[in-house]
Amino acid sequence: MPMNTLAATRSLPLRWSAALTALLLLVPAGVLLRWPRPRAEGLERLLSQSALLQSFPAAPQRPVPALWTQRLGEPLARRVWRRQSRVWWQFWGRDGDGGAFLAFPAQDLPTAPPAHALRVDDLIVVAPDPLSQRLLQDQLKLAQRQRRGLEQRCLQRLQQEQAVFWAPLGLGVMAGPMAPLLQRFQEGCLSLRLKGTSLQLSGEASAAGGFLADPGPSAAASLPEPLAHDLLLEWRGPALEGVLQGLLSRQLIRDPLAARYGIGEGQLALVRRVPFVLQLRSLAQGPFQAGLALQLEVTGDRRPWNRLLEGLKAPLEAQGLEATSGGSTSLPALRWRREDGQVVGGWRWVLPRSAPPALLLYLGPEPSSSPAAIPPLQGGGRESQLRARPATLAAAGLLPPEFPLLVRQASQLSLVASSSAPGKRVLLSPLSQLTGSIQLQPRSPAR
């Protein structure tokens, strides 16, 4: 073979490599020049500054909301409201208890931005006052971390439908003294869909901010029946730790339990894993507005439980309470009375049919009946259920006033939380899938 032919043959792969490299570099560059990378969505930046953020679908045919009129003034609010065709948002910042911000697509604004407004990428954000505007503007200048996991999935909901996102601060403000009981739901997101007079809820929540795991496909959870008229609230779960986790993380609570009542880590380990039913029952008469009952499913040896209860007697007697014994040797019961004879609490053992023994503890007068036997929890103990009558709770002053008005006025609320990890108990998974409904009060006809 001639030398020049051999050289040409050997150089052929090199020429093809050079051409391919040039193609790989030039084609993407041309695409980027013709179709530049879109700017960061403003909503993504606002999410990191929000304690609570809600999205609402465009509804130009409906009356202008009060928030729009307050932030834009009546004439401009009407003009922008009629132009909208996408989703708009309201949110509360993480810097305190200021008023709500209004956010909507910048393309809907036909004039210059109003007072206390700023442009955040593709959005116009109107603050409640000049101070809130400056604080938000300064915070948005800081480096933003990429949204991932739960937050990224929530962004999709907030951009496409009516939804709500909450951060730990937002939950703490809304729930008030109830917040430690909701440790598993510190950050979350729910889609809201109106079906008749029922608001359907679906989403996810996490015990840790920015949780990354994908919950996977959600199975349709069957919601429990509405509460009976004499019950205000019922919470059923596979393990009491889901309720105690937030409380026991506080040294202010753990220390008195150990020092005053002798409930240390050994005793807490006994109660953490038991299935439970917690009920709040309304009382028609007497000195108490409501009675609280906690029923625990106890399997195996009951003697450690009896020792725990026996250790509570001396501290309660030291507080001026008097014990009245009842029951049998194997199933003891105890009522605690004040000096005026009023029963203020107690405990007793219950033997449900076809179910393990249960320990019933109560505050207030002794319940005339026990909560129904704890049913087999679906999916191997992956599901907990909450039912409540919010309007009745609010009327009795038993619901935090910071709860959304829509919830406070609801006649019934049902919520099912299930673990996202098959085969694991709810308390072992930091991510929960949420399904529920809020039964709205029917509007009275206009006169």
Side-chain angles (χ1 to χ4, degrees):
M1 182 179 291
M3 291 297 294
N4 57 349
T5 303
L6 182 59
T9 303
R10 289 176 176 174
S11 64
L12 185 61
L14 181 61
R15 288 201 301 270
W16 275 106
S17 298
L20 183 59
T21 301
L23 186 65
L24 292 175
L25 291 174
L26 293 175
V27 170
V31 171
L32 289 174
L33 288 172
R34 186 166 182 179
W35 295 291
R37 182 179 182 271
R39 294 177 302 174
E41 290 291 331
L43 187 63
E44 185 171 353
R45 298 175 62 193
L46 294 179
L47 190 69
S48 63
Q49 307 302 329
S50 301
L52 181 70
L53 193 151
Q54 297 173 274
S55 61
F56 301 90
Q61 73 281 1
R62 300 187 64 182
V64 181
L67 178 65
W68 283 66
T69 304
Q70 295 164 4
R71 298 292 177 263
L72 301 177
E74 190 171 349
L76 182 57
R78 284 202 306 268
R79 291 179 64 188
V80 179
W81 183 254
R82 286 196 296 264
R83 290 169 59 95
Q84 63 170 328
S85 58
R86 295 169 54 192
V87 179
W88 63 275
W89 305 268
Q90 68 176 6
F91 68 94
W92 286 261
R94 301 190 181 190
D95 53 2
D97 17 62
F101 291 78
L102 170 65
F104 56 86
Q107 65 182 24
D108 293 342
L109 185 66
T111 63
H116 316 329
L118 62 152
R119 178 77 178 252
V120 182
D121 293 334
D122 57 337
L123 303 181
I124 295 295
V125 179
V126 189
D129 53 68
L131 177 60
S132 298
Q133 179 195 22
R134 289 196 298 272
L135 286 172
L136 178 62
Q137 199 163 17
D138 292 341
Q139 291 162 353
L140 290 173
K141 293 177 182 177
L142 302 175
Q144 301 287 318
R145 65 178 176 86
Q146 185 180 2
R147 303 291 107 193
R148 296 184 296 173
L150 185 153
E151 293 174 339
Q152 187 62 45
R153 294 189 295 273
C154 190
L155 271 172
Q156 297 174 5
R157 296 175 185 267
L158 293 165
Q159 290 169 334
Q160 299 170 4
E161 59 188 351
Q162 186 166 357
V164 58
F165 163 82
W166 67 89
L169 177 61
L171 179 67
V173 171
M174 283 192 300
M178 294 171 56
L181 302 177
L182 305 174
Q183 188 72 23
R184 284 180 44 224
F185 313 110
Q186 288 294 293
E187 182 176 87
C189 188
L190 285 174
S191 294
L192 314 174
R193 297 181 181 87
L194 187 62
K195 187 176 180 181
T197 59
S198 177
L199 189 64
Q200 306 296 311
L201 315 173
S202 63
E204 57 185 296
S206 172
F211 193 68
L212 301 181
D214 192 322
S218 58
S222 57
L223 295 180
E225 294 293 323
L227 275 181
H229 72 280
D230 61 331
L231 285 179
L232 300 173
L233 179 146
E234 181 185 87
W235 189 351
R236 293 175 177 262
L240 196 58
E241 184 169 357
V243 179
L244 298 178
Q245 184 180 9
L247 292 170
L248 297 180
S249 64
R250 302 185 175 192
Q251 188 174 358
L252 189 63
I253 293 178
R254 290 199 314 271
D255 289 352
L257 282 176
R260 186 178 303 175
Y261 298 101
I263 301 178
E265 286 303 319
Q267 291 75 17
L268 291 175
L270 184 67
V271 302
R272 286 179 190 271
R273 304 277 172 158
V274 292
F276 72 93
V277 180
L278 176 68
Q279 288 186 342
L280 188 65
R281 188 180 300 272
S282 61
L283 299 175
Q285 57 186 2
F288 302 104
Q289 281 187 299
L292 184 69
L294 175 63
Q295 184 165 301
L296 307 176
E297 182 184 278
V298 177
T299 56
D301 192 357
R302 292 197 299 271
R303 286 176 295 180
W305 291 91
N306 286 329
R307 286 195 295 268
L308 187 152
L309 297 174
E310 187 67 24
L312 297 177
K313 292 176 64 175
L316 293 175
E317 288 172 346
Q319 298 179 35
L321 298 178
E322 180 182 351
T324 303
S325 300
S328 63
T329 304
S330 59
L331 297 173
L334 212 61
R335 299 183 188 90
W336 292 95
R337 301 177 184 273
R338 296 188 310 215
E339 292 182 355
D340 59 3
Q342 175 67 51
V343 175
V344 296
W347 54 75
R348 69 170 185 254
W349 286 96
V350 182
L351 291 178
R353 291 183 179 178
S354 304
L359 175 61
L360 176 66
L361 303 102
Y362 56 91
L363 292 176
E366 183 175 4
S368 56
S369 61
S370 302
I374 301 171
L377 293 164
Q378 298 180 6
R382 294 173 48 216
E383 186 176 286
S384 60
Q385 301 174 351
L386 173 67
R387 295 185 294 168
R389 296 198 293 139
T392 309
L393 284 167
L398 300 175
L399 199 66
E402 292 79 13
F403 259 53
L405 186 61
L406 187 70
V407 177
R408 290 175 56 82
Q409 293 179 342
S411 59
Q412 294 274 349
L413 181 147
S414 296
L415 191 64
V416 175
S418 57
S419 167
S420 62
K424 292 186 178 181
R425 297 172 70 90
V426 171
L427 63 97
L428 297 179
S429 175
L431 189 65
S432 300
Q433 290 180 312
L434 304 178
T435 306
S437 68
I438 296 176
Q439 188 61 42
L440 308 177
Q441 297 276 20
R443 294 183 178 181
S444 56
R447 295 183 179 179

